[in-house]
Amino acid sequence: MQNLIEFLTKFNHWIVFLLLEVFSFVLLLTYNSYQSSVWFTSANTIAGKAYELSSEVESFFSLTAVNEELTLRNIKLEHEVAWLEQRLEQYGDTTARLGETMRLLAGFKMIPAKVVSNELAKKDNLLTIDKGTLDGVREDMGVVCGNGIVGIVYLAAPHYSVVIPVLNSRSNISCAIRNRGYFGYLRWMGGNSKIAYVDDIPRHAHFRRGDKVVTSGYSSVFPPGVMVGKILHVYNSPDGQSYRLQVELSTDFGRLRDVCVINDESMNERLEVLRAAQDSMKVRMDE
């Protein structure tokens, strides 16, 4: 306390001077509008600059957090783009196959149906559709979906039909390698519902992995060119006289819901002629 009193006593004239200066300055600004406006303008300018500088400093030190947030957003967007590209590729390919199948079958009468029962785990799987003889479905008609072949009608009742799908050991469909001209027979060996095999491809055939396998048109059930799948691997046949192709089926039987039955009058006529010929040969052999 004594030191404070000594300080005020020693510098009392300077303190009085500063108080008078402040008082004069206040009077000047209070009773003179021009000086007041100049002061406030200058003060606002200085304050604005100070706030701007403070904001820049704050922004600089917050850049780290902003960059982290932007990085997280970029990662999220990249994942979303990758997901969308994958889906676009998947559904784009499915749409292309659907369009191709529909173009191939444009000249045929199609009977749309829904799968009401489907088996995958057995050796001789069967599936049931909700259309029968009253809808025009008959035995030995081919069944397809937007991605490719499904199977052949085995039994037809008035309102329902049973189909032997590709995933059945009794299924034996004539197929060809697209744009190559070589053909064989599609068989399912059990196990994976996405994998089947084409046997009896000649040894001199030229093809490569990834080539498309389609129906050959040599049977009386499917027209030529309906998608079957693509070649994954090539093996020698058990007797070594031909090739066996491992094929990834284009039809996903695990998600199969909507199908179409091919009602082709010319195929029906060919089937009738073939059956008549077989019956005639059987009669002659019995004689």
Side-chain angles (χ1 to χ4, degrees), residues 110-118 126-132 135 137 143-145 150 153 159-163 253 255-261:
M110 308 298 293
I111 304 173
K114 289 189 178 297
V115 176
V116 296
S117 175
N118 190 12
L126 297 173
L127 63 86
T128 304
I129 59 176
D130 64 350
K131 294 297 172 65
D135 305 291
V137 178
V143 182
V144 299
C145 67
V150 173
V153 176
H159 300 288
Y160 296 94
S161 299
V162 176
V163 177
F253 285 89
R255 297 193 300 175
L256 190 62
R257 295 294 179 270
D258 297 295
V259 298
C260 285
V261 181

Side-chain angles (χ1 to χ4, degrees), residues 29-98:
L29 296 179
T30 302
Y31 296 102
N32 293 276
S33 58
Y34 175 75
Q35 286 81 358
S36 178
S37 63
V38 171
W39 161 254
F40 284 112
T41 301
S42 302
N44 288 335
T45 302
I46 295 172
K49 292 293 183 181
Y51 288 137
E52 182 179 355
L53 180 61
S54 175
S55 177
E56 291 178 356
V57 171
E58 184 179 353
S59 298
F60 176 79
F61 285 105
S62 65
L63 284 178
T64 301
V66 172
N67 286 335
E68 290 178 356
E69 183 180 357
L70 288 175
T71 300
L72 292 175
R73 288 185 179 181
N74 285 336
I75 293 174
K76 182 180 178 181
L77 288 173
E78 287 176 0
H79 281 293
E80 290 179 353
V81 169
W83 184 86
L84 288 172
E85 288 178 347
Q86 182 180 358
R87 291 297 179 272
L88 183 61
E89 180 180 355
Q90 174 185 348
Y91 292 112
D93 187 46
T94 300
T95 303
R97 289 200 300 266
L98 175 60

Side-chain angles (χ1 to χ4, degrees), residues 218-230:
Y218 293 150
S219 72
S220 301
V221 180
F222 294 101
V226 179
M227 181 61 67
V228 173
K230 65 179 180 180

